[in-house]
Amino acid sequence: MTALDTLVETLLWEGHQLYPYTPSATKNLTPTPFGIVYPPSYAAGDPHRFARLKVQAIATDAAAFSATVHCLVAGAAHTVDVTPGAGVAFALGSVGGTVAMDVEAFGPLRRVTVEVANTTDLADGASRADALEGALLSTHLVVRCAAPGRFFSPVAPPPEAAAAVMACVSVNTHPVLATEADDAILGAAIFLPDHPQIAPESRGSLFDGTEIEEALLLHVLALSDGERAELEDADPAVRAMLARAAAATPSDIMALHGRVTLSDPAPVEQEVRGEEAVVVGDRRFARGGHVVLRPGVGRVGATDHLLAGRSATIERIYIDYDGDVHLCVTVDDDPGQQLMRDIGRYLYFKPDEVEAP
């Protein structure tokens, strides 16, 4: 199984059942799975429900393109493959749908579009539970291109592809680059960075892949006798997960406790240093200048009140896309001030949250 296969497998079962994993738990009686493609009658008229899923991505020219739909229906995993120009109709038990793929020229590049639609008939006024039985759950798309083609990042494209990527529209999914070779796009049901990876310490899916695996494993080991008895007749995937947890040794659990990677600080010239100086109203702020911190009442940091009245040095000045100014500071009497500079960990304040010393 490749790294991408492992990632898709983990995402596919994310939210399938949640701790304590018992069928009688409220959150398992009324699940809220990710990546839902509802029957069209249930999705109609509600902007938060979707009867389709679409990925658009930009690639260089390639020898061939293909895509695979991954989803859950009635607690079982399914895949549907598609190639450009050949729409596919599928039936997964009582759930029906279509998937189509198109590749078109977009200047010197190629725009790839894959769309999945649910075509299941469902009576008007059906309950959410009925709609989930007729839905594609945890729907994920993997779109591939053959060498020498490669995809451009949907979230941070290079300048030569930025305009083309901005013209792409994805629906009910969040596409990212999925492989180091950039020859695959993953349309994920949750927000991910480009090139997502499963932590090497992971012992296997707990259906809560975005949670802290060590804590969940300890929770599983702490299930009561009554909860364990209820799970004896549970979903086979859940039983397998419980068996893995029960087999975990103390060293296995300690291995999940995290790791620290030490590296030298990046050279200062590699950091985006922002503005040398900026004028806001009748006040001028410059890198290296000093201010007194006066956190505003609208700030939500629990410890901001500890910074009130402290002297600070302006290390960086950034202006965001909305034109707002952000002063990045270190606290002058903080023993770790130089360390904060070395690692680029600054405190951020608006100009109206500081005053002259």
Side-chain angles (χ1 to χ4, degrees):
M1 183 177 288
T2 67
L4 178 55
D5 292 333
T6 302
L7 175 65
V8 172
E9 179 81 2
T10 299
L11 294 172
L12 186 67
W13 294 95
E14 169 70 17
H16 173 61
Q17 287 209 6
L18 305 176
Y19 177 83
Y21 307 113
T22 53
S24 62
T26 301
K27 56 188 173 183
N28 291 323
L29 286 171
T30 56
T32 305
F34 298 98
I36 307 173
V37 182
Y38 283 111
S41 62
Y42 187 77
D46 189 325
H48 305 295
R49 302 171 186 164
F50 298 89
R52 65 186 182 118
L53 180 150
K54 181 174 81 170
V55 164
Q56 282 193 321
I58 297 297
T60 60
D61 197 8
F65 292 91
S66 62
T68 301
V69 182
H70 298 259
C71 64
L72 298 179
V73 174
H78 298 272
T79 60
V80 180
D81 296 319
V82 66
T83 54
V88 175
F90 58 86
L92 307 174
S94 61
V95 179
T98 61
V99 56
M101 184 176 191
D102 180 63
V103 178
E104 59 185 318
F106 202 95
L109 305 174
R110 298 292 181 270
R111 180 163 68 180
V112 183
T113 303
V114 184
E115 185 162 359
V116 182
N118 190 325
T119 60
T120 307
D121 289 330
L122 187 69
D124 292 339
S127 68
R128 182 174 181 274
D130 290 336
L132 288 176
E133 289 185 2
L136 306 173
L137 306 179
S138 194
T139 312
H140 289 74
L141 268 177
V142 176
V143 188
R144 294 182 173 86
C145 64
R150 64 182 180 88
F151 287 101
F152 294 98
S153 169
V155 293
E160 66 269 23
V165 169
M166 289 292 291
C168 291
V169 177
S170 293
V171 178
N172 196 19
T173 190
H174 310 285
V176 294
L177 292 173
T179 58
E180 290 300 322
D182 295 343
D183 59 355
I185 288 283
L186 170 63
I190 59 176
F191 288 105
L192 294 171
D194 282 332
H195 310 120
Q197 300 177 26
I198 300 297
E201 296 87 353
S202 176
R203 291 186 50 81
S205 178
L206 288 165
F207 313 127
D208 279 312
T210 57
E211 299 293 336
I212 301 171
E213 188 167 338
E214 180 186 17
L216 285 171
L217 185 59
L218 291 172
H219 290 167
V220 171
L221 296 177
L223 288 170
S224 68
D225 291 342
E227 288 169 328
R228 291 180 182 278
E230 184 179 349
L231 289 169
E232 288 180 358
D233 298 321
D235 185 307
V238 176
R239 292 204 307 271
M241 179 271 294
L242 292 173
R244 284 199 310 273
T249 65
S251 60
D252 291 332
I253 297 174
M254 286 302 298
L256 296 174
H257 197 56
R259 63 185 185 275
V260 175
T261 302
L262 299 178
S263 62
D264 293 330
V268 172
E269 61 268 17
Q270 292 185 10
E271 183 185 354
V272 177
R273 306 194 70 183
E275 309 298 319
E276 182 70 36
V278 66
V279 175
V280 180
D282 59 355
R283 296 192 297 168
R284 183 179 185 273
F285 300 95
R287 285 208 305 260
H290 293 271
V291 292
V292 175
L293 304 178
R294 301 293 182 191
V297 295
R299 292 175 67 99
V300 297
T303 59
D304 280 342
H305 66 284
L306 300 176
L307 300 174
R310 306 278 287 277
S311 173
T313 300
I314 300 175
E315 307 289 349
R316 301 287 184 268
I317 302 173
Y318 295 137
I319 300 176
D320 65 23
Y321 288 110
D322 296 322
D324 293 332
V325 174
H326 303 270
L327 305 176
C328 313
V329 307
T330 56
V331 178
D332 291 336
D333 61 355
D334 181 352
Q337 184 183 42
Q338 187 57 49
L339 175 62
M340 296 298 101
R341 288 178 178 140
D342 290 343
I343 63 176
R345 292 291 300 271
Y346 308 122
L347 301 173
Y348 289 75
F349 285 82
K350 298 287 186 65
D352 60 2
E353 295 176 323
V354 303
E355 61 184 32

